């Protein structure tokens, strides 16, 4: 797997409504547990479990609100689309030190307002599309965690950069352009 690193947030924009995917696991997640998701094969950003109460939301320690259904979810060296996740299948969750697999009890999809977050490390651009919600948190360098609604350009969030070019989730050697 490519190395986890912090990348600087360069842009946050509202993009309207779309379908977001919540992954509801059959076990308790730690506040540092999360999954890596991304709009393209250029990379993925870590989204944390909903282990903390937030404005209007009780803690849901079994859930990760992983964002828009079109995104990739990184599973080791493989990826799959969030919309392909199914109840009963195992999904890799990382706490920053180790990865473990946990079965999904439910995959919940609903139409919600979305934000697009872009970050860079040199020339590498990584982006995600996440629900505009007080319950969505990302791993942030200085604070350890940050609610998406408080995230600002200039902050650094945890990401994995990658190279595009996948067929059915497996890396292939081909020329591909993703934006």
């Amino acid at each position: 797997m490519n190395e986890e690193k912090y990348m600087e947030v360069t842009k946050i924009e509202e993009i309207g409504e779309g379908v977001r995917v919540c992954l509801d696991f059959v076990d308790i997640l730690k506040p540092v547990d999360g999954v890596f998701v991304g709009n393209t094969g250029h990379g993925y950003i870590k989204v944390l479990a909903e282990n903390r109460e937030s404005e209007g939301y009780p803690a849901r320690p079994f859930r990760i609100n992983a964002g828009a259904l079109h995104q990739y979810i990184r599973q080791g060296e493989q990826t799959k689309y969030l919309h392909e996740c199914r109840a009963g299948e195992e999904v890799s969750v990382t706490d920053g030190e180790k990865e473990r697999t946990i079965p999904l009890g439910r995959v919940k999809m609903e139409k919600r307002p979305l934000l697009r977050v872009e970050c860079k490390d040199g020339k590498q651009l990584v982006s995600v599309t996440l629900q505009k919600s007080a319950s969505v948190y990302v791993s942030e360098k200085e604070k350890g965690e940050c609610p998406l609604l408080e995230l600002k350009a200039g902050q650094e969030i945890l990401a994995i950069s990658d190279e595009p070019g996948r067929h059915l989730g497996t890396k292939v050697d081909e020329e591909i352009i993703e934006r």
Side-chain angles (χ1 to χ4, degrees):
M1 180 187 310
N2 294 340
E3 188 175 315
E4 296 177 15
K5 61 184 171 182
Y6 288 95
M7 298 178 79
E8 183 179 347
V9 175
T10 57
K11 186 177 185 181
I12 303 167
E13 65 180 334
E14 294 188 34
I15 62 167
E17 283 194 352
V19 177
R20 68 90 164 107
V21 177
C22 283
L23 302 175
D24 290 351
F25 293 87
V26 300
D27 200 358
I28 301 294
L29 302 171
K30 298 176 286 192
V32 294
D33 282 337
V35 294
F36 282 93
V37 295
N39 285 323
T40 71
H42 289 283
Y44 321 94
I45 292 170
K46 187 176 181 182
V47 181
L48 298 172
E50 291 190 11
N51 287 63
R52 55 211 54 80
E53 287 186 28
S54 53
E55 187 179 315
Y57 294 93
R60 293 188 174 102
F62 56 85
R63 174 175 289 170
I64 297 176
N65 185 337
L69 81 165
H70 74 277
Q71 295 189 110
Y72 290 126
I73 179 169
R74 177 100 182 200
Q75 299 291 287
E77 290 300 318
Q78 298 286 315
T79 61
K80 67 187 311 178
Y81 292 111
L82 279 173
H83 91 279
E84 295 173 331
C85 292
R86 299 285 181 259
E89 76 178 6
E90 292 190 342
V91 171
S92 295
V93 174
T94 180
D95 66 7
E97 294 180 17
K98 64 181 180 207
E99 215 172 78
R100 62 189 170 122
T101 58
I102 306 170
L104 292 171
R106 172 174 70 166
V107 178
K108 185 177 180 190
M109 296 185 215
E110 298 172 303
K111 195 168 240 186
R112 294 290 186 262
L114 300 172
L115 293 175
R116 179 182 168 90
V117 178
E118 294 180 359
C119 57
K120 280 190 177 180
D121 176 31
K123 294 181 180 180
Q124 183 74 31
L125 174 71
V126 174
S127 67
V128 291
T129 303
L130 301 171
Q131 181 182 343
K132 182 182 175 184
S133 171
S135 68
V136 177
Y137 278 69
V138 294
S139 290
E140 199 271 339
K141 187 175 184 176
E142 297 298 320
K143 300 176 185 177
E145 62 181 39
C146 182
L148 180 65
L149 297 183
E150 294 177 17
L151 190 64
K152 306 279 186 238
Q155 287 180 281
E156 293 183 43
I157 57 177
L158 194 59
I160 297 174
S161 60
D162 203 352
E163 295 178 4
R166 294 188 177 272
H167 179 67
L168 300 174
T170 301
K171 183 80 177 108
V172 293
D173 187 22
E174 68 178 341
E175 186 174 323
I176 185 169
I177 297 171
E178 289 183 310
R179 297 182 188 162

